[in-house]
């Protein structure tokens, strides 16, 4: 990359410049690792001072460290590799959802664009709205562990959509009817948030199917199935993301790696006492070793959960907004500014009272 650019989605850097890569603080683990390095150097300096006193030596054999070094390196490298795999896996699921939401909209407007009557435009607008909502609630599920906002309370949902979502969850939300009496056990808000995109996909499939009643010239079955396939593929991405969110990194491996790591790193100063090098050399080596091992552990921690507010996290909602904008462009090209404005207002919490709401548009579809 010729020039580093902060595009807002994740950390970028200029890989051709070694100096810039080494010194860049945006997305770096330096701020988190540096306190450990300083503390370990202070420990080394203190025991070096004690060793210089008469009859006070805390030196230990370095043979044990030689054997432990292999175990720690194996655990840390294995953890980093698994974390990178999970990081790429989650990005793949996100990419699937973004791609299929765009593909569904583009195929819909291309295949049905020859229908230019009012009811056809209303159908396209409703499908586009539900596709955007499906993507939005999927992003809400991903972000729930960070902001604890229930997806049925998202501002993009109007009152009818919100009531529809609350009606089909196994929680008492205080909003009247719900599905609680059919539950097999007590469900948490986290579990019920994960259920909402499934319900939204069902409603989207019903709306796509309704094209037979609302298009002047209905789509042939193969074309309708093509739109349905995009919903299926989107949900494959969502179910993959759901698997990712409900399957954390194996705790026993994390516990073992971290236990070995701390024991190894903070006993290095004692093992180096038997070395003939001077105190400054010992401190430099200890600083570098601590940075290397603790830095890799913090890289794993960063990659374990790539969603949230950390520098290296995905801006999944920001990328979803670009998918919304691509949807607006498709509607603009096919149905014009009036229908694009209507869709944009329905997706903008600040304009909920300004455009035609779902109750009106959906009523025209019934």
């Amino acid at each position: 990359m010729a020039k580093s650019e902060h595009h807002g989605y994740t950390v970028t850097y200029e890989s051709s410049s070694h100096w810039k890569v080494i010194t860049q603080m945006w997305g770096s683990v330096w701020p988190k690792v540096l306190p450990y390095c300083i503390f370990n150097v202070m420990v080394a300096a203190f025991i070096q001072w004690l060793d210089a006193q008469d009859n006070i030596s805390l030196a230990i054999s370095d043979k044990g460290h030689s054997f432990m070094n292999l175990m720690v390196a194996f655990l840390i490298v294995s953890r980093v590799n698994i974390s990178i795999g999970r990081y790429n896996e989650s990005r793949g699921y996100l990419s699937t959802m973004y791609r299929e939401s765009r593909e569904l909209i583009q195929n819909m407007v291309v295949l049905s664009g020859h229908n230019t009557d009012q009811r056809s435009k209303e159908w396209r607008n409703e499908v586009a709205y539900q596709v955007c909502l499906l993507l939005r609630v999927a992003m809400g599920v991903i972000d729930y562990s960070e902001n604890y906002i229930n997806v049925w309370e998202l501002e993009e949902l109007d009152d009818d959509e919100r009531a529809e979502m609350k009606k089909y969850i196994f929680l008492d939300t205080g909003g009247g009817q719900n599905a609680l009496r059919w539950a097999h056990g007590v469900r948490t808000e986290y579990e019920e948030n994960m259920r909402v995109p499934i319900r939204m996909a069902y409603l989207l499939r019903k709306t796509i199917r309704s094209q037979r009643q609302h298009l002047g010239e209905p789509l042939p079955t193969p074309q309708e199935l093509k739109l349905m396939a995009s919903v299926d593929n989107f949900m494959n991405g969502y179910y993959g993301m759901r698997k990712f969110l409900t399957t954390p990194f194996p705790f026993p491996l994390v516990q073992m790696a971290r236990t070995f790591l701390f024991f190894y790193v903070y006993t290095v100063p004692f093992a180096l006492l038997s070395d003939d090098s001077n105190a400054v050399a010992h401190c430099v080596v200890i600083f570098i070793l601590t940075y290397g091992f603790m830095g890799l552990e913090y890289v794993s921690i960063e990659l374990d959960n790539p969603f949230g507010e950390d520098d290296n996290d995905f801006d999944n909602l920001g990328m979803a907004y670009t998918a919304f904008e691509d949807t607006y462009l498709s509607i603009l090209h096919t149905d014009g500014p009036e229908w694009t404005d209507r869709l944009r207002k329905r997706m903008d919490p600040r304009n909920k009272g300004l455009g035609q709401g779902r109750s009106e548009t959906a009523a025209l579809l019934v």
Side-chain angles (χ1 to χ4, degrees):
M1 185 165 54
K3 183 178 180 180
S4 179
E5 179 184 0
H6 185 172
H7 52 48
Y9 297 148
T10 189
V11 173
T12 56
Y13 53 92
E14 188 173 342
S15 60
S16 60
S17 173
H18 303 309
W19 177 251
K20 289 184 179 179
V21 168
I22 292 173
T23 58
Q24 178 173 308
M25 288 295 103
W26 177 38
S28 173
V29 296
W30 266 116
K32 298 176 181 178
V33 175
L34 188 59
Y36 295 96
C37 299
I38 295 173
F39 177 75
N40 213 14
V41 168
M42 291 172 64
V43 170
F46 178 68
I47 63 174
Q48 287 280 352
W49 177 80
L50 288 179
D51 189 63
Q53 309 303 309
D54 293 336
N55 301 322
I56 303 179
S57 178
L58 300 176
I60 61 175
S61 173
D62 60 353
K63 292 182 179 180
H65 264 256
S66 299
F67 291 110
M68 190 183 295
N69 183 55
L70 295 175
M71 178 62 73
V72 173
F74 170 77
L75 290 172
I76 295 298
V77 171
S78 297
R79 177 154 154 68
V80 170
N81 285 336
I82 295 174
S83 296
I84 291 175
R86 284 170 52 83
Y87 183 87
N88 292 329
E89 179 187 15
S90 64
R91 184 62 181 88
Y93 295 140
L94 281 178
S95 179
T96 297
M97 290 189 281
Y98 298 141
R99 182 188 70 239
E100 293 303 327
S101 62
R102 290 179 169 97
E103 290 294 303
L104 195 160
I105 295 299
Q106 289 193 6
N107 286 325
M108 176 195 67
V109 298
V110 168
L111 297 176
S112 69
H114 59 280
N115 292 280
T116 58
D117 57 284
Q118 179 83 359
R119 283 172 59 83
S120 298
K121 293 180 179 181
E122 289 161 356
W123 177 79
R124 281 193 290 269
N125 206 260
E126 184 65 21
V127 171
Y129 177 59
Q130 291 193 14
V131 169
C132 291
L133 277 190
L134 176 58
L135 183 57
R136 180 65 184 92
V137 296
M139 297 303 105
V141 170
I142 293 171
D143 292 335
Y144 177 79
S145 60
E146 295 292 332
N147 56 29
Y148 295 100
I149 298 176
N150 294 314
V151 294
W152 56 82
E153 300 294 345
L154 292 174
E155 294 180 324
E156 287 83 357
L157 275 69
D158 58 32
D159 292 340
D160 293 327
E161 294 287 356
R162 186 171 292 108
E164 178 74 14
M165 294 301 104
K166 289 182 177 181
K167 190 187 301 183
Y168 292 96
I169 59 177
F170 294 95
L171 281 177
D172 183 6
T173 59
Q177 182 181 346
N178 57 59
L180 189 59
R181 71 181 196 180
W182 295 289
H184 283 272
V186 178
R187 301 294 169 220
T188 64
E189 285 190 345
Y190 191 39
E191 291 175 301
E192 292 310 294
N193 274 279
M194 290 186 173
R195 202 185 304 275
V196 173
I198 301 173
R199 180 67 185 175
M200 282 299 311
Y202 166 75
L203 297 176
L204 175 58
R205 289 183 172 108
K206 286 187 64 176
T207 303
I208 292 173
R209 178 69 173 173
S210 71
Q211 60 91 14
R212 302 186 178 204
Q213 290 78 44
H214 298 104
L215 294 182
E217 184 180 337
L219 302 178
T221 298
Q223 294 181 358
E224 180 183 304
L225 291 177
K226 186 175 182 66
L227 301 183
M228 292 290 192
S230 285
V231 183
D232 295 341
N233 293 334
F234 182 100
M235 292 307 293
N236 285 338
Y238 171 70
Y239 287 130
M241 184 60 67
R242 180 170 171 162
K243 178 190 73 173
F244 174 87
L245 295 173
T246 56
T247 311
F249 199 98
F251 172 72
L253 182 57
V254 175
Q255 187 181 51
M256 282 193 62
R258 205 162 292 181
T259 301
F260 270 91
L261 172 65
F262 277 92
F263 183 80
Y264 174 80
V265 166
Y266 286 109
T267 54
V268 168
F270 301 92
L272 286 180
L273 280 178
S274 58
D275 185 76
D276 294 332
S277 302
N278 59 46
V280 175
H282 286 177
C283 291
V284 171
V285 170
I286 289 168
F287 185 94
I288 295 174
L289 278 175
T290 305
Y291 172 74
F293 282 100
M294 296 302 296
L296 285 175
E297 178 63 16
Y298 267 96
V299 168
S300 299
I301 294 172
E302 288 276 331
L303 299 181
D304 273 349
N305 181 16
F307 306 107
E309 299 298 327
D310 293 336
D311 289 340
N312 289 290
D313 290 339
F314 299 132
D315 183 9
N316 52 293
L317 185 56
M319 290 187 279
Y321 286 150
T322 66
F324 296 168
E325 292 164 354
D326 290 336
T327 299
Y328 304 152
L329 294 179
S330 297
I331 295 297
L332 175 64
H333 181 79
T334 304
D335 293 333
E338 177 188 351
W339 291 93
T340 308
D341 287 340
R342 180 176 300 189
L343 177 61
R344 178 67 180 87
K345 289 174 181 177
R346 295 178 75 184
M347 287 304 299
D348 190 345
R350 297 168 299 179
N351 294 320
K352 276 301 178 187
L354 300 181
Q356 186 176 28
R358 179 184 185 276
S359 56
E360 297 175 66
T361 305
L364 292 170
L365 288 172
V366 175

